[in-house]
Amino acid sequence: ELAESEARYRAVVEDQTELICRFSADLELTFVNGAYCRYFGRSAGELIGRNFLSFVPLEEHEEIRAHLARVSAEREPVTYEHRAISSRGEIRWQQWTDRAVFDADRLVEYQSVGRDITGRKRAEEALKSSEAHFRRVVESLGEGLVVTDADDRVLDVNSRMTQLCGYTREEMLGRPAYELLLPPNERRSMFERNSERLRRGEHESYEMRLRRKDGSQFWAGINATPYRDSAGEVVGTLGTITDITDR
């Protein structure tokens, strides 16, 4: 019965697509499954007894050791990510969930389950690059730009917008745009106007005087466009503000 139970659990572990390994407190591998062997292009015999950090770039070692110290101290599974060197010598990204195995209070070894997340990491880097590109575009605009949610609370602004109204970006984020830019007697009507525009999902252009932080006013040309999420639902407004005081 014990042999059958061990065979059953061995089959379950070997059939996993996740990388599964165990390694001692000295970081020497004591067990690897088939997926782990295939990933690193070596047999179990070649891997057992080898320090698992030999498959990790040197600059990652210190952080991994600190992570393992936290795992053993907390005695709870901890998930983290690091780079690894594949069988082809490529630098890949992996995500691992580690837990410490104890015999009474003595640390015996670590058990680790991991998977390759290189595709996700590359997508994240591409997204960051894209966001940085569009941020540069937005910041280079000669017009103020403000993004608000359905309640007209500021989600984002560019530098030109902060110059126009005299607030810092941090002072504007999360506050209603009408509260920042309009005198009290005009706020309610503008909020209702914005709500109706969002309900219709229509673009609107108009001119009006806006108030700066110091109380002074300027004439602004405003273009307000519905801001939609990935499903196409209107969730806010994208507005551009142009100072037309001289005109």
Side-chain angles (χ1 to χ4, degrees):
E1 289 177 356
L2 178 60
E4 289 177 359
S5 176
E6 290 178 346
R8 181 166 57 252
Y9 281 104
R10 168 72 66 171
V12 170
V13 170
E14 291 299 336
D15 285 344
Q16 295 298 310
T17 56
E18 285 84 0
L19 315 181
I20 301 175
C21 68
R22 281 196 171 201
F23 49 90
S24 66
D26 295 329
L27 310 186
E28 290 186 356
L29 290 166
T30 58
F31 170 81
V32 291
N33 72 339
Y36 193 102
C37 295
R38 291 189 294 273
Y39 188 93
F40 291 106
R42 292 172 172 82
S43 67
E46 294 173 309
L47 292 168
I48 299 301
R50 185 166 181 169
N51 190 307
F52 91 96
L53 287 180
S54 61
F55 301 113
V56 177
L58 184 61
E59 57 269 25
E60 301 266 3
H61 289 195
E62 183 176 350
E63 185 174 344
I64 290 177
R65 291 181 186 277
H67 158 77
L68 292 174
R70 189 171 88 253
V71 172
S72 58
E74 295 178 1
R75 298 197 177 195
E76 293 290 337
V78 177
T79 299
Y80 74 116
E81 299 170 0
H82 68 76
R83 292 177 299 161
I85 306 169
S86 73
S87 60
R88 298 180 180 179
E90 300 173 322
I91 299 297
R92 310 280 296 180
W93 275 95
Q94 297 175 338
Q95 181 186 76
W96 291 92
T97 299
D98 292 348
R99 74 176 183 88
V101 180
F102 288 87
D103 180 4
D105 289 330
R106 184 177 68 88
L107 175 65
V108 178
E109 59 185 355
Y110 296 92
Q111 179 171 291
S112 192
V113 179
R115 59 193 180 96
D116 189 295
I117 58 169
T118 305
R120 193 199 79 194
K121 281 290 187 178
R122 288 175 177 170
E124 289 175 354
E125 289 300 321
L127 180 60
K128 288 180 182 178
S129 177
S130 176
E131 289 176 345
H133 170 72
F134 281 105
R135 169 57 66 177
R136 289 193 296 270
V137 171
V138 165
E139 290 298 333
S140 66
L141 293 175
E143 301 174 321
L145 184 141
V146 56
V147 181
T148 59
D149 64 14
D151 294 322
D152 206 36
R153 295 185 182 277
V154 176
L155 300 177
D156 199 6
V157 294
N158 68 348
S159 297
R160 178 56 179 159
M161 187 65 198
T162 62
Q163 293 168 5
L164 285 173
C165 63
Y167 291 96
T168 66
R169 183 171 183 270
E170 290 70 25
E171 289 174 322
M172 297 188 72
L173 294 181
R175 293 181 62 184
Y178 58 81
E179 180 184 291
L180 293 166
L181 302 173
L182 297 175
N185 63 319
E186 297 182 22
R187 293 173 184 173
R188 184 64 189 176
S189 61
M190 180 53 67
F191 177 76
E192 292 174 351
R193 179 177 180 171
N194 289 340
S195 298
E196 178 62 19
R197 183 181 62 253
L198 287 177
R199 187 187 66 79
R200 298 194 310 267
E202 296 176 354
H203 171 84
E204 185 178 13
S205 296
Y206 54 97
E207 298 175 356
M208 67 182 302
R209 284 183 297 180
L210 297 180
R211 189 182 66 167
R212 297 186 180 92
K213 181 181 180 180
D214 62 8
S216 62
Q217 296 185 350
F218 67 99
W219 275 98
I222 302 172
N223 285 293
T225 302
Y227 181 69
R228 302 177 184 273
D229 62 15
S230 58
E233 182 179 351
V234 176
V235 294
T237 300
L238 175 65
T240 58
I241 314 294
T242 305
D243 187 338
I244 59 172
T245 304
D246 291 342
R247 195 197 81 198

